[in-house]
Amino acid sequence: ATARRSALAGMSIPAYARQNLAWAARPPGPQSFWHAVGTAVRGIGRQIDAVGVGLQGDCAYHEKLVMPVTAVAVGGKAPAIAAAGFVAPSANLVGEVSMGEGATAWYASLLRGDCGKPTSVGAGSQIGDRATVTSSQIGAKTWIGAGATLVDCSVGDGASIGLGATVCAGASVGDGAVLTAGAGVPAGGGG
């Protein structure tokens, strides 16, 4: 059956015909039967997992996040996001990351505190869609635009980093500063 499926996959046949062939290749019996079997197997898997966790004790891994959110502890240091106003389901937080009260991390943003230095985001600050912040200190009420990249830098309170802007290692952006879209601050630069 597997050889037949792989041979059919390369053929140019209409979608409805592929769907009919896939339906014909399903296991025999009613769908409700296979749904019940699948549910039972998943239940047994959960029980086996619980036995494994019991055997491992404190060393066991416990997944407690909603699946799309990625918050990863590195070297025993986990993200601290309890005070955050909003963390998007597709945001990624890795290592020692702290978010101040009301701070937000929007869709597909990446905050990394796993490169030797922590990342902190001040109260009321916003990290835009697809922005990457690595080992940086972000002040309070600061706006980081979509697609911006900040690496090992500091951004003052009330600053605005434009869409797609880059702030390189060792750079500093002062309080209330505005960095326009697509602009860059070289390594060690700023003020």
Side-chain angles (χ1 to χ4, degrees):
T2 306
R4 180 177 159 208
R5 279 188 215 141
S6 61
L8 291 174
M11 296 175 61
S12 178
I13 59 174
Y16 72 88
R18 278 195 303 271
Q19 185 176 10
N20 289 339
L21 288 170
W23 178 255
R26 76 187 192 293
Q31 183 179 4
S32 59
F33 171 75
W34 291 108
H35 177 73
V37 168
T39 302
V41 169
R42 283 192 303 278
I44 292 168
R46 280 190 219 102
Q47 291 174 352
I48 291 171
D49 188 50
V51 169
V53 167
L55 292 173
Q56 288 181 327
D58 291 339
C59 297
Y61 173 75
H62 301 279
E63 180 64 66
K64 296 184 181 187
L65 293 173
V66 177
M67 292 312 280
V69 174
T70 304
V72 180
V74 175
K77 299 188 179 186
I81 59 173
F86 173 73
V87 176
S90 60
N92 295 289
L93 300 113
V94 181
E96 192 174 358
V97 174
S98 63
M99 295 187 68
E101 185 174 349
T104 60
W106 290 87
Y107 298 92
S109 59
L110 170 62
L111 287 82
R112 295 184 59 190
D114 64 334
C115 299
K117 294 182 183 176
T119 290
S120 67
V121 180
S125 292
Q126 173 186 325
I127 307 299
D129 298 348
R130 301 177 330 278
T132 301
V133 180
T134 304
S135 300
S136 298
Q137 308 305 308
I138 309 300
K141 298 186 181 184
T142 297
W143 180 77
I144 307 298
T149 302
L150 290 79
V151 179
D152 193 15
C153 63
S154 65
V155 179
D157 295 341
S160 177
I161 306 298
L163 293 102
T166 303
V167 182
C168 295
S172 175
V173 177
D175 293 347
V178 176
L179 189 60
T180 60
V185 179

